[in-house]
Amino acid sequence: MSVLRFAGAKILNAAITLLVALLLISGIFAVYTVTELRGRLAEEYVLALRQLEVQYRNNPELLEEKSRQLYENLMERYGLTGNFVQDVATWTVKLIKSNITFDFGVTQYSYIGGTNVIGDILLLAMKNTAILFLTATLITFAIGIILGFQMARKPGSIFDRGLSVFGMISWSFPTWWVAIIMILIFSFYLRLFPAQAQYVYFELSKLPPDLPLFEKIVEQAKIWLKYMTMPVMTIVLVSFGGASYLIRNIVLGILQEDFVTAARARGLPERRVIYGHVLRTSSPPIVTYLALSIVGAFGGAIITEAVFGWPGMGLVYWIAIQQSDAKVLVASTWVLTVFFILTILILDFIYSLLDPRVRTGAT
């Protein structure tokens, strides 16, 4: 299959997937929005009706007319028609338009950054999540690749067995539980790091505006490191054992291939065999795992960010769920879906460069 046909097929698949995701997300949240609006309308109608009943209790005809006017006004204010299917269809079209244009409007609730523009909230939250989880993911994989290759070179050794057991145990720990333990140790007992990170922008805002550029960058880096060190330590501690074990299994399977045996038979140094042949062959699944972990990182971890008070996507999602803010929920879901699908598309092209058999195998 030619490169152009391969690229065209992958882009078409991604476009179809995006279209299906757009319809599903818009439809699901349209049902949620209409149901939420109908519930609010009913609650407000009942409260207002009680006042009308007291005011017009001696005039039933006028009470009936005022009640009808009240209901019609509420329906108009909430943008409902009374027909559930029609309302859902109307909201689905609205959400499709807003998702396509990435114009999500504003929210009435308070989030991070001191703004109510949903797009600005999500950009700031994604940046904060990237700072935290991207850093933790890269550190995890750097450690995982080094340890995983060492484990694969000496399978069955004490080092291999010990780290494998540690990886399975650490991977089973809930991140939020480890986060609470880290807060108790490093914040309350040792008092080395702050327990909550929501004050990071407040501390950044206190920096003198006339600082030289280099000094300003250094001071900002110190503040970020102070607030993100403990969350990064928590994520890496929970994740690096599992990443090492996964990479160990990938590399161990490749070490048993015939081309590795042939390379060793030719007298090539073990270092060249490992890093010249095995690393290239094992790179596609490792890159896949890394890319998907990075994409997942942009989604944040709702409970982890809530525990540390980290102002990222997870915390925004948690606040939106608590406040039943459908606008922010649908915007967050759509942005992360687009990002995920585009990452998979880019990953397919990287795959084709690392292993040309991917293109020929698709014919």
Side-chain angles (χ1 to χ4, degrees):
M1 176 179 283
S2 66
V3 175
L4 291 179
R5 287 183 61 191
F6 176 81
K10 293 300 180 182
I11 292 174
L12 180 61
N13 289 337
I16 294 174
T17 305
L18 272 175
L19 178 61
V20 173
L22 175 63
L23 295 176
L24 285 175
I25 292 172
S26 301
I28 291 172
F29 280 100
V31 172
Y32 174 83
T33 301
V34 171
T35 304
E36 182 73 16
L37 291 177
R38 287 164 69 96
R40 293 180 183 178
L41 184 149
E43 183 179 352
E44 187 172 345
Y45 176 75
V46 169
L47 293 175
L49 183 61
R50 290 175 181 174
Q51 297 177 357
L52 291 177
E53 288 174 347
V54 173
Q55 185 176 358
Y56 299 102
R57 58 186 173 184
N58 296 326
N59 194 337
E61 294 181 357
L62 187 58
L63 174 61
E64 183 178 354
E65 181 182 351
K66 291 293 184 180
S67 300
R68 181 177 53 80
Q69 291 177 357
L70 171 64
Y71 187 75
E72 291 175 354
N73 291 337
L74 289 175
M75 292 285 287
E76 183 178 356
R77 189 202 308 174
Y78 283 100
L80 300 175
T81 64
N83 187 316
F84 183 79
V85 176
Q86 182 178 346
D87 291 337
V88 169
T90 301
W91 270 98
T92 300
V93 173
K94 288 182 181 179
L95 291 177
I96 288 175
K97 290 180 179 178
S98 65
N99 287 334
I100 291 176
T101 59
F102 289 90
D103 183 13
F104 303 115
V106 297
T107 176
Q108 60 181 331
Y109 299 104
S110 176
Y111 288 89
I112 61 176
T115 177
N116 64 344
V117 180
I118 297 176
D120 295 341
I121 293 171
L122 295 183
L123 283 176
L124 181 60
M126 289 188 71
K127 184 194 79 170
N128 295 337
T129 294
I131 291 174
L132 175 62
F133 283 90
L134 190 58
T135 302
T137 301
L138 293 177
I139 293 174
T140 297
F141 270 85
I143 298 174
I145 290 174
I146 295 173
L147 296 181
F149 270 80
Q150 293 299 321
M151 293 165 66
R153 292 178 65 180
K154 300 177 181 179
S157 63
I158 297 177
F159 176 75
D160 177 37
R161 293 180 180 179
L163 196 54
S164 297
V165 172
F166 174 79
M168 289 185 286
I169 294 175
S170 65
W171 194 260
S172 66
F173 284 155
T175 307
W176 59 266
W177 181 81
V178 178
I180 293 174
I181 298 300
M182 298 289 279
I183 290 175
L184 286 174
I185 295 174
F186 291 99
S187 295
F188 289 96
Y189 294 148
L190 301 180
R191 300 187 181 275
L192 295 177
F193 304 108
Q196 294 290 293
Q198 68 260 36
Y199 306 111
V200 59
Y201 282 102
F202 175 73
E203 192 162 341
L204 287 171
S205 66
K206 293 194 299 182
L207 290 176
D210 55 347
L211 277 177
L213 179 60
F214 179 75
E215 187 176 348
K216 184 176 182 180
I217 294 175
V218 171
E219 291 300 320
Q220 287 178 342
K222 289 180 180 179
I223 294 173
W224 278 110
L225 285 174
K226 182 176 74 172
Y227 282 97
M228 69 183 292
T229 297
M230 192 162 56
V232 168
M233 287 170 55
T234 302
I235 298 169
V236 172
L237 179 63
V238 172
S239 304
F240 86 90
S244 303
Y245 186 70
L246 176 69
I247 294 171
R248 175 254 191 200
N249 290 338
I250 293 173
V251 175
L252 192 60
I254 294 173
L255 284 173
Q256 298 172 0
E257 296 289 340
D258 293 338
F259 74 90
V260 177
T261 305
R264 286 171 171 166
R266 291 200 305 270
L268 294 178
E270 186 68 13
R271 191 177 189 85
R272 184 176 175 185
V273 172
I274 295 294
Y275 296 104
H277 294 73
V278 176
L279 180 60
R280 178 179 175 85
T281 308
S282 61
S283 57
I286 294 176
V287 168
T288 301
Y289 185 36
L290 175 59
L292 295 180
S293 298
I294 291 175
V295 173
F298 279 92
I302 295 179
I303 300 179
T304 303
E305 290 191 357
V307 170
F308 286 112
W310 187 261
M313 288 294 291
L315 187 61
V316 168
Y317 221 90
W318 174 249
I319 296 174
I321 291 173
Q322 287 183 316
Q323 297 175 336
S324 299
D325 192 349
K327 283 186 174 182
V328 175
L329 287 173
V330 68
S332 303
T333 304
W334 172 244
V335 167
L336 293 175
T337 300
V338 171
F339 190 75
F340 181 82
I341 294 174
L342 291 179
T343 302
I344 295 297
L345 179 63
I346 295 172
L347 194 60
D348 284 332
F349 291 125
I350 295 176
Y351 248 43
S352 66
L353 295 176
L354 295 174
D355 190 355
R357 293 175 299 176
V358 173
R359 295 197 301 268
T360 59
T363 57

